[in-house]
Amino acid sequence: MTLAIGTVGGALAWWAALPLAWMIGAMLATTAASVAGAPLRMDMRLRTLMVTVLGVMLGSGFQPELLNELGRWSLSLAAVALYIAVAGAAAYLYFRKVCSHDRITAYFSAMPGGLAEMILVGTAMGGDSRIISLSHAARVLLVVLTVPFAFSFFTEMDQAARAAARPGMGEIPLLDLAILTACAVIGFFLGKALKLPAAQLVGPMLVSAVAHLTGLTTLPPPVELVGAAQVVVGSALGARFAGTALHLIARTVLQAVGVTAILLSVTMIFAVGLHVGLGFDLRAIVLAFSPGGLAEMSLVALAMSADAAFVATHHILRIFLVVVFAPAVFRLTGGKAREPG
């Protein structure tokens, strides 16, 4: 039922020529159904499978000529750590002073990344798991809705033309399909073995990047698979709201609007500064620093013909830094787990 509602929503969004239609349409339809009380859920095995497709897609952006750009990225990658500190502090103060959350809940709700990890650690520390999970889910939802529409309004990007430019299933030779499939399978297990953050996405992306950088293949996954992946990822986001009390959803989403505005304001300050100071493409740098999910923002980059490899690399670093250092910083600043009960 979740996939059916998501597919209908995606098709309607595509018909209406919305930006990133299949994901945003699926997300809006399933969110509305969840809030209305529909018992939606997503099999995480299916989401994982489709996220590996996105990983291979992102890896296809790492073409040989990209190696010349890595040195130029060093300053913007270094700025990611400063962005996390500034954005996280601003969001924490908002949750504490405006929303009156306890310190643990506010801290782990404020971190701009590592959704699953922040929910697990924050809950283990004694935070309110409902507020932490809803805050992160609503933030990602709002960012994914806001950023593409803003760019669509100001830049008039043509979604249909960009989607049509990617090859279909019948246009990719069997050997290339086999190579892309191998990238997904090998990358998934490699990512799990190395315990990479967002392993199901990052592992296939790294293996795909190697395959494309070495010229083993030059093609991305077929457009039909990418569209299906968008529907699954969007539906999974909307299904997160199933079974949650309406008043809690309304209050948390309203609070998430405020924190999303704060985070996107910090994003724009960093993006404009790096654009003016270092000459980075404004679209790519805004997406690279936007506090959305790695898979979701990478899809937005693909839809906008921005440098998806640039965007994904910055998000991977952001997630890694948040997951590794956020719990440690919490303890170093005097944070303590709340006793059960």
Side-chain angles (χ1 to χ4, degrees):
M1 182 169 65
T2 303
L3 286 174
I5 292 172
T7 302
V8 171
L12 289 173
W14 178 82
W15 175 78
L18 297 183
L20 199 59
W22 290 102
M23 185 173 77
I24 288 179
M27 185 166 51
L28 287 174
T30 52
T31 298
S34 295
V35 172
L40 302 189
R41 61 186 177 89
M42 176 61 66
D43 190 325
M44 288 299 104
R45 294 172 298 180
L46 176 60
R47 184 184 185 277
T48 297
L49 175 64
M50 288 304 181
V51 166
T52 64
V53 173
L54 299 181
V56 175
M57 181 69 191
L58 294 175
S60 68
F62 288 80
Q63 299 295 330
E65 58 270 18
L66 193 67
L67 295 174
N68 300 325
E69 298 291 330
L70 289 178
R72 200 168 71 90
W73 294 1
S74 57
L75 289 176
S76 63
L77 287 169
V80 171
L82 180 60
Y83 167 80
I84 292 171
V86 174
Y92 172 76
L93 289 174
Y94 168 80
F95 280 128
R96 284 287 281 163
K97 303 299 183 183
V98 178
C99 304
S100 300
H101 293 337
D102 64 84
R103 185 179 182 187
I104 299 172
T105 302
Y107 181 86
F108 288 100
S109 296
M111 288 299 103
L115 184 149
E117 292 80 6
M118 292 304 100
I119 294 171
L120 290 173
V121 176
T123 302
M125 290 277 187
D128 190 322
S129 61
R130 299 171 305 164
I131 292 176
I132 296 173
S133 59
L134 276 172
S135 296
H136 281 288
R139 167 179 56 82
V140 173
L141 182 78
L142 290 168
V143 169
V144 173
L145 283 173
T146 303
V147 174
F149 278 105
F151 273 107
S152 180
F153 180 78
F154 288 112
T155 66
E156 298 181 353
M157 61 179 182
D158 185 352
Q159 298 295 323
R162 285 177 171 82
R166 292 195 285 271
M169 183 72 76
E171 301 173 81
I172 300 179
L174 288 178
L175 177 59
D176 288 274
L177 281 175
I179 292 171
L180 294 172
T181 303
C183 288
V185 175
I186 295 171
F188 173 78
F189 288 106
L190 182 64
K192 288 291 186 182
L194 296 177
K195 297 182 179 179
L196 298 174
Q200 67 271 30
L201 181 74
V202 176
M205 188 190 76
L206 292 176
V207 176
S208 175
V210 171
H212 286 83
L213 285 170
T214 56
L216 196 59
T217 182
T218 60
L219 296 174
V223 65
E224 295 90 348
L225 266 181
V226 175
Q230 289 188 42
V231 170
V232 171
V233 170
S235 298
L237 272 174
R240 286 182 185 274
F241 294 94
T244 306
L246 184 58
H247 69 88
L248 180 62
I249 292 176
R251 186 182 68 198
T252 305
V253 169
L254 185 62
Q255 293 170 349
V257 171
V259 79
T260 301
I262 292 170
L263 292 174
L264 286 178
S265 297
V266 177
T267 293
M268 290 306 300
I269 291 170
F270 274 78
V272 172
L274 290 167
H275 169 66
V276 174
L278 299 176
F280 287 110
D281 174 54
L282 186 59
R283 295 174 307 163
I285 200 69
V286 167
L287 293 177
F289 280 77
S290 290
L294 169 58
E296 290 80 14
M297 298 316 297
S298 299
L299 276 173
V300 175
L302 291 170
M304 291 172 51
S305 290
D307 190 338
F310 176 87
V311 173
T313 301
H314 284 71
H315 278 282
I316 290 168
L317 178 62
R318 174 178 59 85
I319 293 169
F320 175 80
L321 292 175
V322 168
V323 170
V324 172
F325 292 107
V329 170
F330 179 73
R331 293 185 178 93
L332 287 173
T333 55
K336 295 181 180 179
R338 184 183 293 126
E339 293 294 329

